[in-house]
Amino acid sequence: MGDFRMPSLGADMEHGKMVEWLIKPGDYVHRGDVVAVVDTDKTVMDVETFEEGVVAELLVDVGTTVPIGTPLARITQTPDDGAGQAGGQPAVPPAQAGPEAAAAQVPPPVRHLAHQLGVDLSGIRGTGKHGAVTRADVERAAAVQPARPVPEAGPVPKAAPVPEAAPVPEAAPAPAAGPAPRGTRVRSSPRARRLADQLGVDIGTVPGTGPDGAVTEADIQRAVQGAGAPASAEGAASAEAAETTAAEATAAEAQPAEEAPPSDAQDRLSSLRRSIGSLMTRSKQSIPHYYVSTTLDLRAAIGWMQQVNEQRPVASRLVPSALLLKATAVAAREIPEVNGFFTDGVFRPSSTVHLGVAVALRHGGLVAPAIHDADTLSVDVLMQKLRDLVGRARAGRLQRAEMADPTITVTNLGDLGVESVYGVIYPPQVAMVGLGKVVEQPWAQDGMLGVRPAVTATLSADHRVSDGLRGARFLARIDELLQKPEEL
């Protein structure tokens, strides 16, 4: 049916590195299935396919760097179109096949989840159409049979890592134990590190099969199976040991030597800085920036927010950023000259507002993934999506669409004490909003002087598309919206 190609995951992306395949030849994939993990100069992210059919062939090996547009996999309507299978019978998706075929044709994301949770797919009775196994089926099976090993791999010889894991359950989850982590820099994918943390596996003792010996998610799974993934009483002991080291795992995550080797982190940061520098240089050379700034009155917004928060638990309380982002998204919808793309000498306004949010990465640099349809979301949902987006950005779990299609970007440095920000536009976007620190300041109104919370908002915009009049109207509209926060 077509080729799955290296996608463009940002205006400045020229090439990408294949980190991990989540599919194999013979798998049936649907549009939107996450099929691979790709490393750009900025971050590591999940990539979904826009093709549907049978994976006939993987054309690019793990560890290979290729330009955007390069075919990565062949996806055909029938297996023999590319895989050379006999019979030539058309492949049918699970929704059209019988129960046995449906069980065999498990979508890659569902199979991937089953491996993560240690669930044996052969023992699951699917509840989807025609007996297809769904994500909910896997999650239910994991709840009933926690820590059950996937039996297809069989036992691994005693030479496998952590040979004493069976008699001493607590030896497996010790992230800092053993000579390898201290004397050897461990290369690993973000997925592998997350899975190792979840399962209490010392990633330094796992032999890597990825590029340059990097440890992959599959390596972690094999290590768990080879160590005799514990069941019943042993499983409970292992889980208890993993819980006791949760604080240590969190602390280790903040240490570059554990999560990413210093040299690798430095190489990635250098590459990221070069990428950002190249994009910003192109922006300043090709986009005629103009800037406008105003002070937003937050008295009504923060007063309403405090009243709402009094009736909520701490975990679900709102913060000013959520209100500022929602007001910005609504204003961008109403002032279309700041929301869209300038390509091939023509401005193309966007009918949707995909709000890019600048996120600082753990080892330096930043990315600006999008909250889709931000103008249509309630403040609560927008805040949930913001938290999720920031967490996945820092964990290297962004998806292609989140990086490729922001229509306007917001950068907020208020938490760092900065009072105003004048951003550089991300091409092909045509505007960027900068937000500073919320501060209390003197405010005169109707001849009376008082103190109000306020924030400085700036707009960097493209003079080829808009002018100061429209830019000022955009900022004024944000201020107007914040005076009636209950309507946001």
Side-chain angles (χ1 to χ4, degrees):
M1 295 179 70
D3 290 336
F4 167 57
R5 298 174 179 272
M6 177 64 74
S8 174
L9 305 174
D12 56 330
M13 179 177 170
E14 298 179 352
H15 55 265
K17 180 179 180 180
M18 179 59 63
V19 174
E20 193 171 354
W21 280 111
L22 305 179
I23 54 174
K24 63 182 183 299
D27 285 349
Y28 193 95
V29 295
H30 299 268
R31 288 176 60 90
D33 283 351
V34 176
V35 298
V37 181
V38 171
D39 187 357
T40 71
D41 287 334
K42 286 188 173 181
T43 187
V44 177
M45 66 182 68
D46 297 337
V47 179
E48 65 270 25
T49 178
F50 289 104
E51 301 292 337
E52 179 168 349
V54 176
V55 179
E57 183 181 6
L58 303 182
L59 303 176
V60 173
D61 293 331
V62 170
T64 304
T65 299
V66 296
I68 59 174
T70 301
L72 303 178
R74 290 188 58 208
I75 299 176
T76 61
Q77 189 169 8
T78 59
D80 60 319
D81 283 348
Q85 298 180 7
Q89 297 299 319
V92 238
Q96 301 174 7
E100 294 82 4
Q105 300 273 15
V106 181
V110 176
R111 185 182 301 109
H112 183 56
L113 176 65
H115 278 293
Q116 282 188 316
L117 299 179
V119 172
D120 181 6
L121 286 171
S122 63
I124 297 181
R125 184 177 183 84
T127 61
K129 192 171 183 180
H130 300 300
V133 177
T134 67
R135 183 182 183 92
D137 296 331
V138 173
E139 291 172 343
R140 279 193 295 270
V144 173
Q145 297 178 333
R148 181 180 176 184
V150 181
E152 53 186 298
V156 175
K158 292 296 183 180
V162 198
E164 297 181 2
V168 187
E170 65 271 17
R182 296 300 181 188
T184 306
R185 291 174 175 173
V186 181
R187 297 176 62 85
S188 58
S189 72
R191 286 174 175 267
R193 293 194 293 274
R194 288 195 302 273
L195 185 60
D197 285 342
Q198 293 170 0
L199 300 180
V201 174
D202 180 0
I203 200 168
T205 64
V206 179
T209 61
D212 300 322
V215 177
T216 67
E217 184 179 31
D219 296 329
I220 299 295
Q221 293 165 353
R222 281 191 292 269
V224 172
Q225 296 165 13
S232 63
E234 287 187 359
S238 178
E240 183 178 353
E243 289 177 5
T244 61
T245 59
E248 296 177 11
T250 303
E253 192 173 286
Q255 298 174 5
E258 293 294 333
E259 184 183 359
S263 60
D264 290 351
Q266 187 59 44
D267 290 345
R268 172 172 289 281
L269 180 58
S270 298
S271 176
L272 176 58
R273 291 299 185 196
R274 285 195 300 270
S275 176
I276 294 175
S278 175
L279 181 64
M280 295 299 98
T281 299
R282 177 156 64 93
S283 173
K284 295 296 286 187
Q285 289 177 342
S286 63
I287 299 177
H289 286 58
Y290 73 88
Y291 307 92
V292 288
S293 174
T294 192
T295 300
L296 303 177
D297 178 7
L298 298 184
R299 183 180 66 168
I302 290 183
W304 175 82
M305 182 189 72
Q306 290 173 342
Q307 291 179 356
V308 171
N309 285 344
E310 287 176 357
Q311 305 171 10
R312 298 185 176 193
V314 175
S316 61
R317 290 180 179 174
L318 299 174
V319 296
S321 294
L323 298 173
L324 289 167
L325 291 177
K326 178 60 185 292
T328 299
V330 174
R333 180 186 65 204
E334 298 178 4
I335 312 295
E337 293 92 336
V338 302
N339 185 59
F341 307 102
F342 192 92
T343 56
D344 300 324
V346 178
F347 173 61
R348 295 176 173 83
S350 175
S351 59
T352 57
V353 180
H354 298 328
L355 194 65
V357 180
V359 179
L361 300 179
R362 184 170 289 115
H363 294 291
L366 59 88
V367 292
I371 299 175
H372 288 154
D373 302 308
D375 59 314
T376 67
L377 303 176
S378 69
V379 175
D380 286 295
V381 173
L382 190 149
M383 186 165 171
Q384 293 171 4
K385 288 184 174 292
L386 175 64
R387 286 172 174 164
D388 172 67
L389 195 70
V390 171
R392 288 189 295 107
R394 290 173 176 165
R397 292 171 49 210
L398 292 172
Q399 296 187 0
R400 180 207 62 81
E402 293 167 334
M403 288 296 295
D405 63 0
T407 58
I408 182 174
T409 296
V410 176
T411 180
N412 187 341
L413 295 178
D415 289 345
L416 300 178
V418 174
E419 293 190 0
S420 60
V421 185
Y422 292 85
V424 180
I425 301 170
Y426 281 80
Q429 298 172 41
V430 296
M432 171 174 275
V433 177
L435 298 172
K437 178 182 179 181
V438 176
V439 296
E440 289 190 338
Q441 63 182 46
W443 197 279
Q445 185 172 5
D446 298 329
M448 301 294 292
L449 183 65
V451 176
R452 295 187 181 184
V455 65
T456 299
T458 62
L459 172 70
S460 307
D462 188 338
H463 233 316
R464 297 172 299 182
V465 178
S466 64
D467 52 33
L469 178 64
R470 296 301 286 169
R473 183 71 191 96
F474 170 72
L475 291 181
R477 183 58 181 146
I478 294 177
D479 189 64
E480 291 170 3
L481 291 166
L482 290 169
Q483 306 316 307
K484 298 180 180 180
E486 66 280 359
E487 298 180 3
L488 288 175

